[in-house]
Amino acid sequence: MKILHLSGVKNWGGGEYHIENLCSELAITNPEISNLVFCVANAPFHKRLAQTAIRFITAPLDIKIDLRYVFKLGNVCKKEKIDLIHIHDPSALQLAIIADKLYNLPPFVFSKKTSFPIKERKKTLYKYNYPKIKKILCVSKETEAVTLKAIRDTTKVVTVYHGTNLRTKSTVTDFLLREKYCISAEKTIIGHIGNHIRAKHLETFIEVVNRVVNVERRTDLVFIQIGTHSDRTPALLETVKTLNLEAHIIFMGYRPNASNFIPQFNIALMTSQSEGLPQFIYEAMYHKVPVVSTNVGGIPELIKHEKNGLLAPMHDAKTLTKHLLTLQQSDALKQQFVTLSAQKLLEKYTTANMAQNTIEIYNSILN
């Protein structure tokens, strides 16, 4: 079986981490399956793959519809005799459809990794209902529910949780947060990992910091955010400056092994307004860091309020702040949350489970 994993993303995020995990897991458990990643040349994912044993091919994608990407995709499928194309993002799906018109590509599997609704536009609905798509793998039950509303053949839609990779866990970092940023042992580190995109809604993250510092007058919490900057970043930084929060919040930018810093967090904070199921929460559960989060997307499938974490509605900085301060002051609650979360993760949410579930779907299509 020869699988081509198709990515049209120009940054590094949870979706790319999923591809890396899937290919690495299959190389160990199912070496008879040949995995080849097709990604954007000179993007962070390309550079990341170059440091792994995963086989990959790149193509330029300088504009939304770059025919160089399309032509190379068609030629690679013919040359490599690809059996199945696993498409991992909407940009790659659009390019694959164009290539299919020219080259008659193998069947598609598409991974839906966000809980954004599929827009009811003719072109968008055509793309997601394209007949070459044999299965749509949703990252959570919430994503599945959203996706079903737009898909004519509902038998194509299934949930496959991504989980976390137990084989690659590490706590090695280039530096210790407390040492580098002179954070005393008495202060609580609140950490967040996510790129500066609309879905993560870092405006809420900053508003939580504002409420902690300027409303509650607390200076014993330090907030650290790790993730790739974007065109949204300047406005975020300006807000931090306007609110005089520069001494309380640290933007570290992109870090190649960001999850390795999670054990140095005291609490993990997620402020997203839309999610599939973020890797950050999986990783926090593994590293036994308690979670405070918005209750969007598939997050409530992992975190049950007051059972193994604390949840609030999206954009509700006031409630998130209340949850943070409650959790900070209760060692018993922290212990309860991390114990139950770690147990839940190991039972169900691992990349080993994800890989085997994905193989069953591959086989069902090809056989």
Side-chain angles (χ1 to χ4, degrees), residues 3 20 27 37-38 43 57 61 68 78 123 171 173-174 230 240 250-251 253 290-291 304 320 333 348:
I3 310 297
E20 181 181 304
V37 177
F38 189 102
I57 292 175
L61 188 59
R68 295 172 296 175
K78 298 294 183 183
K123 289 182 179 179
T171 60
T173 55
D174 294 337
S230 71
V240 169
I250 298 163
F251 287 97
V291 173
K304 301 299 182 184
L320 288 168
L333 207 55
K348 188 174 181 180

Side-chain angles (χ1 to χ4, degrees), residues 175 177 181 224-227 229 250-255 261:
F175 53 85
L177 296 174
Y181 298 112
I224 291 181
Q225 201 285 321
I226 306 175
H229 290 190
I250 298 163
F251 287 97
M252 287 173 55
Y254 168 75
R255 304 295 306 183
F261 284 99

Side-chain angles (χ1 to χ4, degrees), residues 20-40:
E20 181 181 304
N21 280 333
L22 178 57
C23 292
S24 299
E25 195 71 46
L26 291 177
I28 296 169
T29 60
N30 297 79
E32 73 280 4
I33 297 177
S34 172
N35 291 280
L36 175 63
V37 177
F38 189 102
C39 64
V40 179

Side-chain angles (χ1 to χ4, degrees), residues 181-212:
Y181 298 112
C182 300
I183 302 170
S184 68
E186 292 74 30
K187 292 193 175 185
T188 299
I189 295 179
I190 311 297
H192 175 279
I193 298 177
N195 294 334
H196 293 199
I197 58 176
R198 178 176 171 271
K200 302 300 179 183
H201 211 262
L202 291 173
E203 292 83 355
T204 299
F205 184 81
I206 293 171
E207 179 55 26
V208 170
V209 184
N210 180 51
R211 295 194 69 86
V212 168

Side-chain angles (χ1 to χ4, degrees), residues 310-321:
L310 295 172
L311 300 177
M314 67 176 177
H315 306 152
D316 189 349
K318 183 177 181 179
T319 300
L320 288 168
T321 302

Side-chain angles (χ1 to χ4, degrees), residues 86-129:
H86 190 156
I87 303 169
H88 291 269
D89 58 86
S91 296
L93 175 58
Q94 184 173 15
L95 292 159
I97 291 172
I98 295 170
D100 185 51
K101 303 296 185 183
L102 300 172
Y103 293 93
N104 188 24
L105 300 180
F108 300 168
V109 168
F110 177 70
S111 279
K112 181 83 165 67
K113 300 177 181 180
T114 68
S115 59
F116 287 125
I118 296 172
K119 293 180 180 178
E120 295 185 6
R121 296 189 302 209
K122 187 175 181 180
K123 289 182 179 179
T124 304
L125 292 172
Y126 172 78
K127 179 171 69 175
Y128 283 96
N129 286 281

Side-chain angles (χ1 to χ4, degrees), residues 321-333:
T321 302
K322 176 185 173 184
H323 288 343
L324 272 183
L325 298 180
T326 297
L327 189 56
Q328 185 212 21
Q329 294 163 8
S330 175
D331 290 338
L333 207 55

